[in-house]
Amino acid sequence: MANTWTAAYLDVAVGLANKSMADLWNPTGSGRILKVYRIWCLNNYRAGAVGGGLNIYQIARITAKSVAGTPVTPTRHDTTLENWAATSCTTHYASTVTEGDVLRRFSNSSDELAIRAVTNIDNWSSLPTLSIQWDTGGYDGAILQPIVIRENTGIHIKFVSGTASVGTLTTVIQFTSE
Amino acid sequence: MAETWQVMAAGVVPAANKSMLGIINAAGTSKVIRVYRIWIMNNYTAAAYTGVLSNVGIYQMTGLVVGTGAAVTPVKHDTASGALDANVGIFAGGTVSGEGNLLRWLAYSYDEPAVGGATADEFGMLVPVALYWDTGYADTRLQPITLRSDEGIHIKWITNVTVGTVDLMMEFTQASS
């Protein structure tokens, strides 16, 4: 079974159009192939009323990462396997990247969550079951390819636009390195 | 594992009996195309419009050309995969011929979603909920939609409404047999 990782980009501020909210980059010479199986993008905003809006995001390939943003360290599922630094791959948010092909668009709400609230899109956007934006790889064995990231490529989740540039997004990417 | 592709037609405006997104594996092909999943996403975030509860059908067909629509370029899941067969055409708003059997009939709550909303319109924003076809994906006992030579499928908007937009996505594989 391949070395499996979870990278969590917690509470990244929404706001700038075309902001890279989470990236996964495989540099030249890593000797690794990364395979992305699942991506969750969650509205976990809890810090009071924010007047959020509906936002559009996209999952896209990237062909370069010219300026690395804030680093995130993925967690390996098995501590006996190699650590993240050994892979030479990198994960950041708010990087400057060159975007390639777009794989998927999705939307969510960035309005604040509320306890005991009427169930609505603001709260639905916080539920992992409903906020899994990419889920390819198949449950019953290997049917469809995951997103395969070879050397000198990567992927990112980009904030495209929104009706209110407030709130945050939590992105979780589940992938393997082989 | 077969070569896997992702298709996304963003911001498609509906119309009565419009082919919103279709894929044809035209004559001359050397490949078999298998469609595993289809989504219709209510990703509209612009000004409010007068929504209409709409019917949408997923149909088999035997011909599709671009007509007054637009070609949609699919994206490989693995950049090392080979090219899509040149006889595979994917179009949004294309012209269909030989429409055949209906595979699925849907009622779609077509109205703009709203922050704080809790209606079917907002459900349409959620990827797991907006999945309208997934046969053969999680259950290998079932065949996906298999497209051989001169076979295709398209997602047809039935109801007469011409405001707003939806995003349509399709996931398929290409194999030699």
Side-chain angles (χ1 to χ4, degrees), chain A:
Chain A
M1 195 175 296
N3 198 2
T4 306
W5 303 84
T6 292
Y9 310 72
L10 303 179
D11 298 329
V12 177
V14 170
L16 290 174
N18 300 312
K19 178 178 180 178
S20 180
M21 304 295 287
D23 71 63
L24 174 60
W25 176 253
N26 185 5
T28 301
S30 73
R32 305 288 188 282
I33 298 174
L34 306 181
K35 295 180 179 177
V36 175
Y37 285 85
R38 296 191 175 85
I39 302 173
W40 293 261
C41 292
L42 303 157
N43 174 25
N44 284 348
Y45 191 82
R46 308 165 302 282
V50 73
L54 296 181
N55 301 321
I56 297 282
Y57 298 88
Q58 62 191 30
I59 301 168
R61 290 196 179 278
I62 56 176
T63 57
K65 183 157 74 172
S66 56
V67 178
T70 304
V72 168
T73 303
T75 301
R76 53 190 167 173
H77 286 205
D78 184 348
T79 55
T80 67
L81 301 178
E82 68 176 359
N83 62 27
W84 182 240
T87 68
S88 303
C89 299
T90 63
T91 41
H92 296 85
Y93 63 86
S95 299
T96 302
V97 300
T98 303
E99 190 172 89
D101 293 328
V102 177
L103 288 153
R104 182 168 295 178
R105 262 182 20 155
F106 62 90
S107 55
N108 80 345
S109 169
S110 66
D111 204 17
E112 75 281 356
L113 308 178
I115 193 170
R116 293 187 295 275
V118 171
T119 303
N120 61 27
I121 186 63
D122 310 337
N123 288 349
W124 296 337
S125 296
S126 71
L127 302 174
T129 306
L130 296 181
S131 299
I132 183 164
Q133 314 295 353
W134 184 274
D135 185 19
T136 297
Y139 296 105
D140 185 10
I143 303 174
L144 302 177
Q145 290 174 318
I147 305 172
V148 180
I149 303 175
R150 297 183 183 270
E151 290 187 19
N152 203 33
T153 67
I155 63 161
H156 82 143
I157 291 85
K158 183 174 87 174
F159 170 73
V160 178
S161 63
T163 56
S165 299
V166 294
T168 62
L169 185 76
T170 290
T171 301
V172 179
I173 304 177
Q174 198 169 78
F175 62 99
T176 62
S177 60
E178 304 174 19

Side-chain angles (χ1 to χ4, degrees), chain B residues 21-44:
Chain B
L21 179 64
I23 179 168
I24 182 72
N25 193 15
T29 183
S30 63
K31 302 294 185 183
V32 178
I33 302 297
R34 292 179 171 85
V35 179
Y36 281 87
R37 295 193 288 183
I38 297 172
W39 293 263
I40 306 172
M41 303 288 303
N42 193 14
N43 283 343
Y44 184 87

Side-chain angles (χ1 to χ4, degrees), chain B residues 24-30 85 87 148-151:
Chain B
I24 182 72
N25 193 15
T29 183
S30 63
D85 190 289
N87 296 287
R148 300 184 185 276
S149 179
D150 267 346
E151 295 178 352

